[in-house]
Amino acid sequence: MKQGTLPMGSDRLFEPVCNPEMLYQAFLAVKRNKGSHGIDGVTIQKFEESLEQELLQLSKELASWTYKPSPVRRVEIPKPNNAGTRILGVPRIRDRVVQTAIKMVLEPILDPMFSDNSYGFRPNCSQQQAVEKARQEVDAGKGFIADIDLSKFFDRIDHDRLIGKLSHVIDDKRILRLIGLTLRSGAIHNGEFIPSKEGTTQGSPLSPLLSNFVLDELDKELEKRGLSFARYADDCNIFLRSRKAAERVMKSVSAFIENRLKLVINHDKSKVAKAKQVKFLGMTIVNGKIAISKKALEAAKLKVKELTPRGTNRPIEATIFDFNKWFRGWAAYFDMTYYPAQIRTIEARFRRRLRARIVSQQKRRRHLFNKLKKNKVKPKAAARAAFSNNGRWHLSREKVVEQAFPNKWFIQRGMLIRSRDQLPHWLSDKYWVHLT
């Protein structure tokens, strides 16, 4: 279906949003996504205690046009490597339910219009598919990438332009009005109201769908030009056969984005480079194969460092528990790498930091000597390590320390590791080794 063609039934979308049954299905989706409370302090659990009453009240307010979305609770999340903060907005649970209901009504209409090269926040699409698309394009000889970075994309979406574009596809003005109310609901930060004159709230259930709709205009332009690309939300890579072609495309596409879409290019982060020099969703393409980017690996090492602070008496098992909680999700995502040793590097890093902690906890050299001996290290080798002038970090990599505290020692205390005997995709428990 081409943009500009009104889909059948697009003038009767408001009634389903008001339907208590639709609102109930929307609540179930909100509950699955979890999340914290809005400005009223009402949690999902608290909302559910009087669910029927809450949904009936919402339905009545929507139908009578007395419903008014509240400002979102503004939250600032630090970006990795001290790269500033990311501003999120947390709507109230009742507003989240309404926005999810709108999304459930609009998505079947809007999503089929979107490009096959758009992978972000869409049904049956994933980051892994986007990275695989990038690998295929590079493997086909398009090894130069125009890597386009949009500056504060979600914060700069023009409300009037967005509603105007939606009106070409959605004929129910009531839905458009409801979306407008949601976009302009504002935010509360440190007790102060902040109006929202532009942008969509990161953290809103409706925001990903609206952002894809905005950037679909870019996708259509790239397709019209016959360009190969992969886009995940505001992260877009265009694949070309030569640097000259990539530079030409970067210049013309940047002009289109800034002049037509009224968005801003981050020229410091946007670049033309060979595939192996470009990070896309934490991955990079090296010799036609997917690898975890250096930046993502460094970020993982920093996380391991954060999970294993120095000077703590916290039990090893508790630290391992926290590591498992983070590592399961991290490794499941980065499992798309063609180089499994990259994942095992992070496991090894964690074990080494715990070995360094064990060494530092032996306040005297003779205590370390006795500890190594107790863990079946020969006295001569234990003495050579314990009474050397080497520090904790150097000792953590000594063969005798690894012998005293081998990988099996950590596994027996609950550490999850990747099983080398399993297939590459290991999202379920059977792909994890707990004990040998």
Side-chain angles (χ1 to χ4, degrees):
M1 175 174 46
K2 294 180 180 179
Q3 189 164 334
T5 303
L6 293 176
M8 186 176 287
S10 69
D11 59 338
R12 304 292 296 174
L13 300 177
F14 185 68
E15 286 78 8
V17 171
C18 301
N19 189 309
E21 179 57 34
M22 174 68 81
L23 293 172
Y24 174 69
Q25 295 301 324
F27 169 75
L28 293 180
V30 169
K31 185 178 178 181
R32 282 194 298 271
N33 290 333
K34 301 180 181 178
S36 61
H37 60 83
I39 59 170
D40 58 357
V42 176
T43 63
I44 293 173
Q45 293 74 18
K46 185 71 176 174
F47 189 87
E48 192 172 16
E49 288 175 7
S50 53
L51 183 60
E52 184 177 357
Q53 181 183 340
E54 290 281 4
L55 297 184
L56 287 174
Q57 180 64 28
L58 260 182
S59 176
K60 185 187 297 183
E61 289 179 22
L62 286 164
S64 63
W65 284 101
T66 56
Y67 168 77
K68 184 179 179 182
S70 299
V72 299
R73 178 169 62 88
R74 183 168 166 175
V75 179
E76 295 183 0
I77 306 295
K79 291 183 180 180
N81 304 322
N82 297 316
T85 57
R86 178 175 285 107
I87 298 174
L88 303 181
V90 184
R92 293 200 299 170
I93 304 302
R94 70 193 320 263
D95 294 331
R96 240 178 285 173
V97 169
V98 172
Q99 291 175 34
T100 302
I102 297 171
K103 175 179 177 286
M104 291 167 69
V105 167
L106 291 187
E107 192 167 62
I109 296 171
L110 298 182
D111 191 78
M113 299 164 44
F114 296 158
S115 168
D116 290 340
N117 298 306
S118 167
Y119 298 91
F121 310 112
R122 298 183 60 195
N124 305 314
C125 291
S126 67
Q127 291 164 304
Q128 286 85 347
Q129 290 173 342
V131 174
E132 174 58 22
K133 164 71 173 179
R135 187 201 68 77
Q136 291 173 4
E137 294 296 344
V138 173
D139 198 42
K142 298 174 183 176
F144 287 89
I145 298 178
D147 180 16
I148 297 176
D149 187 277
L150 297 177
S151 176
K152 298 182 179 180
F153 163 66
F154 290 93
D155 300 334
R156 288 195 162 112
I157 292 175
D158 185 285
H159 293 167
D160 292 336
R161 192 175 190 280
L162 169 57
I163 297 296
K165 283 286 185 182
L166 277 171
S167 69
H168 297 156
V169 182
I170 304 299
D171 202 30
D172 193 331
K173 305 302 181 189
R174 297 167 298 174
I175 281 286
L176 300 178
R177 180 184 170 192
L178 190 55
I179 292 172
L181 287 173
T182 298
L183 290 172
R184 299 183 179 98
S185 61
I188 298 289
H189 185 58
N190 293 331
E192 182 182 346
F193 176 75
I194 303 168
S196 48
K197 297 178 181 177
E198 60 180 359
T200 64
T201 301
Q202 290 192 67
S204 154
L206 192 54
S207 184
L209 180 63
L210 296 180
S211 63
N212 270 332
F213 180 76
V214 169
L215 288 178
D216 185 62
E217 193 173 348
L218 170 62
D219 297 342
K220 295 293 191 290
E221 178 67 18
L222 297 179
E223 288 175 346
K224 188 171 78 175
R225 298 184 187 191
L227 295 169
S228 301
F229 68 98
R231 182 177 66 77
Y232 192 95
D234 58 339
D235 200 347
C236 183
N237 279 185
I238 307 171
F239 307 95
L240 288 307
R241 294 187 182 275
S242 70
R243 181 179 293 276
K244 187 175 180 180
E247 288 172 347
R248 184 176 65 249
V249 166
M250 172 66 85
K251 185 177 179 180
S252 62
V253 171
S254 295
F256 174 84
I257 290 171
E258 295 188 326
N259 297 331
R260 182 76 67 84
L261 302 186
K262 306 302 180 185
L263 298 171
V264 178
I265 299 287
N266 186 330
H267 293 283
D268 291 334
K269 291 186 177 180
S270 299
K271 63 181 179 181
V272 168
K274 289 185 177 179
K276 65 181 180 181
Q277 298 168 325
V278 174
K279 177 177 70 74
F280 183 47
L281 301 175
M283 311 303 290
T284 189
I285 311 300
V286 181
N287 299 325
K289 296 179 180 179
I290 298 169
I292 304 173
S293 71
K294 289 181 181 178
K295 191 172 181 180
L297 281 174
E298 287 304 314
K301 289 176 183 177
L302 285 174
K303 181 64 178 180
V304 168
K305 185 177 181 180
E306 177 190 317
L307 291 168
T308 53
R310 295 179 64 172
T312 177
N313 291 319
R314 197 155 185 256
I316 293 286
E317 290 79 4
T319 301
I320 287 174
F321 177 83
D322 290 344
F323 171 78
N324 288 346
K325 210 162 126 183
W326 166 76
F327 186 63
R328 183 189 290 275
W330 183 88
Y333 174 76
F334 286 103
D335 184 51
M336 69 179 100
T337 179
Y338 281 39
Y339 303 94
Q342 290 185 299
I343 293 175
R344 290 197 287 270
T345 295
I346 301 305
E347 294 174 2
R349 186 80 170 189
F350 177 70
R351 285 190 295 267
R352 186 179 177 188
R353 286 192 64 84
L354 287 189
R355 289 187 184 109
R357 179 193 292 183
I358 293 168
V359 168
S360 68
Q361 286 173 343
Q362 316 312 307
K363 300 301 182 183
R364 297 179 182 276
R365 292 286 175 162
R366 61 185 173 83
H367 293 165
L368 177 59
F369 170 71
N370 290 332
K371 186 82 170 175
L372 293 175
K373 269 204 318 176
K374 184 180 176 182
N375 283 36
K376 301 179 181 179
V377 174
K378 291 180 180 179
K380 191 174 180 180
R384 191 162 48 243
F387 297 110
S388 70
N389 290 322
N390 294 325
R392 61 191 289 278
W393 188 242
H394 187 282
L395 285 170
S396 67
R397 203 171 182 179
E398 286 278 354
K399 191 171 286 186
V400 292
V401 176
E402 291 182 350
Q403 180 187 337
F405 304 99
N407 295 358
K408 181 179 178 180
W409 189 88
F410 295 98
I411 294 170
Q412 288 171 336
R413 281 151 184 79
M415 181 178 171
L416 297 177
I417 69 167
R418 180 173 184 173
S419 170
R420 303 185 189 204
D421 300 325
Q422 298 292 353
L423 296 173
H425 300 286
W426 39 292
L427 300 181
S428 65
D429 283 344
K430 70 179 181 177
Y431 294 117
W432 293 95
V433 174
H434 291 269
L435 294 172
T436 57

